Amino acid sequence: MNPSPPRVLQGVAANLLSEVLPRIPTPFGQQLVGIAAMLDMMVAEEFDRAADRLVTENRIVRDLLAAGCGLLGDAVPPSVPEALAAPAAPSLRVSDLQRENDLLRAALIDLHAAVEQTPGPAARDLEERIWAELVESTRRRHLSARP
Amino acid sequence: MEEALARYLAPRLEAADVRVTNLLRIPGGASRETWMFDAEWTDPVGGRQSAPFVLRKDPPASLLETDREAEYAFYSAFWGTDVPVPRMRWLENDPSVLGGPFFIMDRILGCESATSRIIAPPYTAVQPKIAENMYRILAAIATFDWRGTDIERVAHVPTPETAWQHELDHWERILDTEAMEPQPIMKAAIRWLRANPPPPAQRISVVHGDYRVGNFLYREDGGIYGIVDWEMAHLGDPLEDLAWSFNQSWHWAKDGRPGGIVDRETAIAHWERYSGLRADPDALHWWEVFSHVKCQGIWVTGARSFAEGRTNELILPLVAYSLINAQDQYLLRTIGRLP
């Protein structure tokens, strides 16, 4: 079995920092090599988790959009049922999953704005669920390797 | 580039033998390429002269698309005032000279600007002095009389009632145009900002636009000798700069202190004392929330430039990977949605 892409990128970063960086004479060149190494490590982390993150998030956002349709009925922004009716990602490629994610999260913005304007405890409850998901979405995207 | 620079400088220095040496690109400068160099020449009476310069050149694409003439005008307006800036020398809009428009300024020698150095010895010992100078100078920017200067020619003049709206419209437009993914957290913040506008600005001031640790030159004596990076300077509410300096993206020591050098209350006290203005807590909070939207507008602009292949500057994907999600988290913290 080949070394995994994250392991390869970590190896590249380690070599850049230990073997290349000390031999670069200019501050700008040193900064460039340091940035390349940091990017390697962040991309390595993202590579392994991206598909899982997107599949998880797309399912959760779909549930929120469906809840929004139930709460707002005919007053729901058109982008919400449109996003729910759109076909799911045709593959598990990150690019396909990301396109689905973009469509769903754009609709979530419209739903969030509409729910904010809706009175009543059910609307407040859904608003809090949306905020909870937005907070969680940043935890999913958090990179431990970021400088 | 050395030869092209020498040819450019010759008529301006009234010399036929200009020599450019020690040309080095300076790290940072994500919005404009920043280079330092030395020039040597013989003056009209035969004396040998030399001077250190800094060159700021527009890249093909960057974190920001800003007006270099405005930046040049803001720098020039503050030359010789209580706000220390390098002296501007020449502005060149013809891209054929060096491959992009640029301007040249005097280089201030013997200073440090790195964010990593200011939070370590020997500078930790003079952090209180640097911090007081930082907010004293910000107060001088806030109270500067810009009328009658070149700033009036290059900058939009908002009213005290519309300063917030002008900035928010501008940065929401950038976020909408440049972001490659939906921004549900930023959009929620923008709705809140529009629903809860700040009180009218106490005055229409020069706003540096990127006033923070990292954009000034300091020394071991605790003095600040140059305020740089005026590419986002404009006229507006002076609280904008104060709030921007508090943004978590510049908490370099990761200890909750703005810039990694001063606690927030002390910074506010310095700014109020030196400016005679008041940092109303609610208004300041509004501008702090806004600062996250503006930061995100900058990060997504750089991300798109790189993604679309308009530049290969590696700082741009680094900023995208390390700051776009972090900025969402910083905003959530500011509005109390994250501990």
Side-chain angles (χ1 to χ4, degrees), chain B residues 304-333:
Chain B
R304 179 177 283 277
S305 298
F306 188 86
E308 293 181 344
R310 284 181 277 134
T311 174
N312 283 317
E313 293 281 347
L314 287 183
I315 189 77
L316 301 179
L318 180 76
V319 162
Y321 269 81
S322 61
L323 283 177
I324 289 178
N325 185 59
Q327 202 68 56
D328 275 344
Q329 291 186 314
Y330 300 156
L331 168 59
L332 290 168
R333 209 159 277 143

Side-chain angles (χ1 to χ4, degrees), chain B residues 87-101:
Chain B
R87 181 183 174 196
M88 293 292 108
R89 290 303 199 121
W90 304 283
L91 170 69
E92 182 54 64
N93 285 317
D94 180 355
S96 70
V97 178
L98 290 180

Side-chain angles (χ1 to χ4, degrees), chain B residues 248-261:
Chain B
Q248 199 180 338
S249 281
W250 344 119
H251 288 195
W252 305 117
K254 300 190 189 307
D255 60 0
R257 291 185 305 155
I261 65 166

